[in-house]
Amino acid sequence: MDPLAPFREEVESSVKAALEEIGARQELQMEVPDAAIADFAFPCFSLAKVLRKAPAAIAEELVAKIKTNSLIERVWADNGYLNFKVNQSELVRATLQEVMRARSDYGKGEDKGTKVLLEHTSVNPTGPIHVGRARNPIIGDTLARCLRKCGYQVATEYLVNDVGRQVVLLSWGVRNIPQEDVVPASDRQKDDHLLVGFYQRANEQLESKPEVEAQIASLTRGFEAGDPEVVSMVRETTERMLHGIRESLSSINVELDQYTWESQFILNGDAKRVVERLKTVPECHEEEGAFYLDLSAFGIHGRDTKFFFTRSDGTTLYTTRDMAYHQDKFKRADQLINVLGEDQKLEQQQLAAALRILGGDKVPECLFYAFVSLPEGRMSTRKGRAVHLDDLIDEAEDRAYEEVRKRRVDLSEEKMRQIARDIGRGALRFNIVRVQAEKQIVFKWEEALNFEGNSAPFLQYAHARCCSILAKAGEFERVIDPSLLDDPYERKLIRILAQYPTVVRDCGVKRRIHLMPAYGQEVASAFNQFYAYVPVLRSGERQAVRLTLVESTMWVLRGVLDNLGIVAPEEM
RNA sequence: GGGCAAGUGGCCUAGACUGGAUAUGGCAGCAGCCUCCUAAGCUGCAGGUCCGGGGUUCGAAUCCCCGCUUGCCCGCCA
């Protein structure tokens, strides 16, 4: 339950009644202004035209007509706004009661009864995940967590691209290039780091040796024809690579529910069936044996209107398999969301048009992110120019470890390592997700590994402070007495805690996950101020209510961190 | 050449969907705060042509148009 709901409803119904009284028919558009101004506000500007009066005059007129119950403390007109201040005691009571009742479920939305299939990451298994692509699993996993918190049934899925020239090339390299000719990505004993060197060397040979080109072409044909030997060779290499990638994902707390292999859609005939159906539609045309759809009627213009779905030799293309995959996904869920790099925008537009042509009434919703680049340019696995996610994680943990060691000489080595892991990895995830996905990011170590201010450790630290106070207090009686929680720092903190369910809803419904870290920062900041000025332990008759507030804050911080896939350490 | 995004103090960033009350935070800088619950913290100071130019409006960071800059895409690759 949302503790703000009764207040919001009271404000809305009173405004509605007042509007009817002055004869204005108007869509209710409430705002939540800056805390210093009011709790809720109704702007009267759009009424000005209809009523032919100044907004300020309308606001004054409305104030006189407003009737509210005890949930509202004050109503006043200011600057063309009708402002509302809610009853602070009631807000304190409603908020703390709800947090203490729901605890880790505070903010959780009602079960929506909607199955969402969220595809994310799906990076090509040709090398270790680099930072350029690292936004994908982090955004995807965070969105999945937020949607679940909202009440959606979410399944996450990774499409493994085990079809096509690049995986064939990789597999060929692993079989044919001697180990000593290859430079691994690092000295890590991880399959993705060990194998990527073969891929890079194979790419070089492809350019320098014509006979390699012929071998690859032959293997590719063998794969498409279902030659068991080739298929199993590619499968084996891809599985090893994927194993390494999954280890990396796991280390940033990302676990996907399902891995679907692209080759499945060739082997089970789905891709072929898509081709056959597409060949019968009016948009279908042929050019030298290859078939394509003319998408000029679908808002796609210029040279991009030809959307090929077969080669002239009749074999399928990635996009054809992707269509089969999406049809399959729609059988399994009510709603599809894809988290994709911005290079996929046109492809997805074409895919959506093709799905419509095939008679589908639903298309996937896409969340695009811009790539993280290096100051010297775009990262590339093939060229070996990349910062690997694994290296970034290690560096984050090392730096966090230095910080822990400086501060906590009392802890065991093992404990320090554990805390450094939680902080380093958390800092990484937070820094990716705090920025809107569509903004381009130039990678800088100092920024990626910020432990202060607007960062995961800031939230984690506030959480640890809560835990520390609660641990020192021991058992206590949960007391909610608004008259004993009258300090401005307490009131400010509670007001922010009350907004958590609203934030959860906005994150999920609007798919704006960067609201979550921003909100967490607000909570932690308000708590730190409270911490600095309001003593909790040894505060006499106020100790119990303050401990209740501290515990409530802890639940909210823990919830926020959990939504972000970040561990909430009890000490640091 | 065409298309899709983004441009907010030295740096990073919120707000833009739904125009409205002093543009949100952080980093870096300067000045303070640990006999008291962890200073990964708190307080204060300083720092802004919201890329530029037009337009719509009583009112524009927000909407429209024209530019500029940056990223991405425009393959019978995946």
Side-chain angles (χ1 to χ4, degrees):
Chain A
M1 206 200 82
D2 181 350
L4 285 178
F7 299 96
R8 199 181 284 130
E9 282 159 22
E10 178 56 23
V11 168
E12 283 176 359
S13 69
S14 70
V15 172
K16 212 171 185 177
L19 284 174
E20 268 174 34
E21 246 187 276
I22 66 165
R25 296 182 54 197
Q26 176 73 16
E27 275 292 301
L28 267 188
Q29 199 60 258
M30 299 301 301
E31 288 179 16
V32 178
D34 192 90
I37 300 172
D39 293 319
F40 294 99
F42 176 70
C44 302
F45 304 99
S46 53
L47 280 174
K49 260 202 194 98
V50 191
L51 299 177
R52 308 186 61 83
K53 274 184 209 165
I58 296 167
E60 293 290 351
E61 198 178 336
L62 283 173
V63 169
K65 305 282 187 201
I66 287 279
K67 292 181 203 68
T68 60
N69 64 14
S70 60
L71 290 179
I72 307 301
E73 199 168 277
R74 196 158 86 83
V75 186
W76 73 102
D78 186 22
N79 246 324
Y81 286 90
L82 184 59
N83 284 338
F84 293 82
K85 190 160 183 60
V86 305
N87 183 315
Q88 297 300 293
S89 298
E90 287 305 320
L91 180 66
V92 169
R93 196 190 308 279
T95 305
L96 296 188
Q97 249 167 21
E98 175 57 17
V99 184
M100 294 315 298
R101 183 194 68 77
R103 294 168 162 245
S104 60
D105 280 340
Y106 176 52
K108 197 165 183 163
E110 301 273 304
D111 185 357
K112 301 277 189 294
T114 307
K115 273 196 202 163
V116 177
L117 204 166
L118 174 57
E119 182 195 337
H120 71 78
T121 308
S122 303
V123 294
N124 289 330
T126 50
I129 295 193
H130 60 67
V131 173
R133 299 264 172 193
R135 283 178 117 170
N136 201 322
I138 296 174
I139 290 170
D141 185 63
T142 307
L143 181 61
R145 287 164 185 271
C146 289
L147 289 171
R148 285 188 188 115
K149 188 61 76 82
C150 278
Y152 294 95
Q153 250 179 74
V154 183
T156 54
E157 192 159 315
Y158 183 130
L159 177 68
V160 187
N161 301 123
D162 64 332
V163 180
R165 190 182 170 88
Q166 50 187 338
V167 282
V168 168
L169 183 63
L170 166 68
S171 310
W172 174 88
V174 170
R175 291 287 175 96
N176 294 285
I177 296 171
Q179 178 78 57
E180 56 271 22
D181 288 0
V182 166
V183 187
S186 69
D187 50 12
R188 255 178 266 269
Q189 291 304 302
K190 260 178 106 236
D191 282 331
D192 50 343
H193 286 253
L194 294 170
L195 296 184
V196 69
F198 292 96
Y199 178 62
Q200 287 157 354
R201 189 48 56 93
N203 267 290
E204 286 163 22
Q205 296 198 1
L206 190 62
E207 280 172 27
S208 58
K209 298 185 186 170
E211 69 272 21
V212 174
E213 173 72 57
Q215 286 181 48
I216 298 303
S218 150
L219 284 171
T220 305
R221 277 195 301 276
F223 187 97
E224 302 248 347
D227 178 339
E229 201 175 319
V230 183
V231 170
S232 77
M233 173 185 91
V234 170
R235 178 78 179 216
E236 188 197 322
T237 315
T238 313
E239 266 176 2
R240 283 184 65 193
M241 194 61 101
L242 185 64
H243 180 76
I245 290 171
R246 289 180 68 167
E247 277 182 66
S248 303
L249 293 176
S250 183
S251 70
I252 50 168
N253 206 12
V254 175
E255 309 280 350
L256 289 106
D257 297 321
Q258 197 178 326
Y259 291 78
T260 296
W261 296 75
E262 190 186 332
S263 54
Q264 157 189 337
F265 301 103
I266 293 179
L267 300 175
N268 71 7
D270 281 356
K272 263 278 174 298
R273 278 187 280 279
V274 167
V275 169
E276 294 315 316
R277 290 232 3 236
L278 285 175
K279 279 183 180 172
T280 66
V281 304
E283 291 88 350
C284 177
H285 301 275
E286 191 195 333
E287 191 176 288
E288 292 168 30
F291 288 86
Y292 67 91
L293 298 174
D294 180 359
L295 299 180
S296 46
F298 288 82
I300 297 166
H301 301 289
R303 283 184 261 173
D304 309 333
T305 56
K306 283 186 188 173
F307 180 49
F308 281 90
F309 60 93
T310 71
R311 295 190 182 89
S312 47
D313 65 3
T315 56
T316 60
L317 292 154
Y318 167 76
T319 43
T320 325
R321 273 124 38 199
D322 206 19
M323 263 182 258
Y325 176 48
H326 276 83
Q327 289 188 324
D328 175 67
K329 285 201 284 187
F330 270 123
K331 284 184 203 145
R332 295 185 275 134
D334 307 311
Q335 222 175 337
L336 302 189
I337 301 178
N338 297 337
V339 179
L340 298 161
E342 60 177 341
D343 55 343
Q344 300 292 309
K345 280 184 187 174
L346 177 60
E347 205 283 295
Q348 287 294 315
Q349 236 184 332
Q350 293 169 329
L351 175 77
L355 287 171
R356 284 225 168 83
I357 287 172
L358 284 173
D361 53 341
K362 289 185 284 190
V363 293
E365 178 186 330
C366 295
L367 218 122
F368 296 105
Y369 63 91
F371 296 109
V372 178
S373 60
L374 294 169
E376 57 268 34
R378 190 175 175 170
M379 295 192 202
S380 160
T381 297
R382 197 159 44 83
K383 294 176 184 156
R385 186 179 66 208
V387 175
H388 294 121
L389 181 58
D390 292 316
D391 295 329
L392 182 56
I393 294 166
D394 280 1
E395 183 70 23
E397 288 181 18
D398 287 350
R399 294 198 192 188
Y401 178 75
E402 289 310 309
E403 293 297 317
V404 179
R405 222 175 44 152
K406 265 190 259 170
R407 293 157 216 269
R408 299 296 302 270
V409 284
D410 56 313
L411 293 174
S412 69
E413 175 69 16
E414 195 194 347
K415 190 78 196 164
M416 284 195 288
R417 287 283 171 201
Q418 180 60 50
I419 292 170
R421 251 202 302 282
D422 294 343
I423 290 171
R425 295 170 179 194
L428 253 176
R429 283 191 65 137
F430 192 98
N431 262 293
I432 291 291
V433 90
R434 60 178 254 270
V435 180
Q436 279 183 45
E438 56 271 22
K439 289 216 181 195
Q440 52 204 27
I441 295 179
V442 177
F443 179 81
K444 293 182 191 106
W445 284 101
E446 323 76 79
E447 276 168 26
L449 302 176
N450 172 33
F451 295 162
E452 285 167 5
N454 193 5
S455 71
F458 184 84
L459 273 66
Q460 291 171 313
Y461 187 65
H463 176 266
R465 277 178 152 180
C466 291
C467 292
S468 167
I469 291 175
L470 292 169
K472 286 198 168 131
E475 273 308 308
F476 69 98
E477 196 193 341
R478 274 66 171 174
V479 181
I480 298 164
D481 181 348
S483 70
L484 293 176
L485 287 164
D486 55 354
D487 188 279
Y489 288 106
E490 293 169 335
R491 289 289 164 95
K492 182 181 172 191
L493 178 55
I494 291 164
R495 193 192 137 91
I496 292 171
L497 298 183
Q499 287 160 1
Y500 181 55
T502 311
V503 173
V504 168
R505 202 173 50 233
D506 285 354
C507 274
V509 172
K510 298 181 184 169
R511 326 275 195 245
R512 299 165 71 74
I513 51 171
H514 67 279
L515 296 175
M516 192 54 71
Y519 173 74
Q521 213 274 339
E522 265 189 85
V523 176
S525 179
F527 176 77
N528 281 332
Q529 289 169 15
F530 161 80
Y531 183 93
Y533 292 103
V534 183
V536 176
L537 301 175
R538 293 181 294 281
S539 61
E541 59 165 359
R542 290 172 186 257
Q543 178 166 317
V545 287
R546 287 178 179 169
L547 282 168
T548 308
L549 175 56
V550 170
E551 191 185 331
S552 301
T553 307
M554 183 206 75
W555 287 118
V556 172
L557 283 170
R558 197 172 280 190
V560 169
L561 288 167
D562 183 56
N563 297 338
L564 296 173
I566 297 171
V567 175
E570 301 199 350
E571 61 176 330
M572 60 187 273

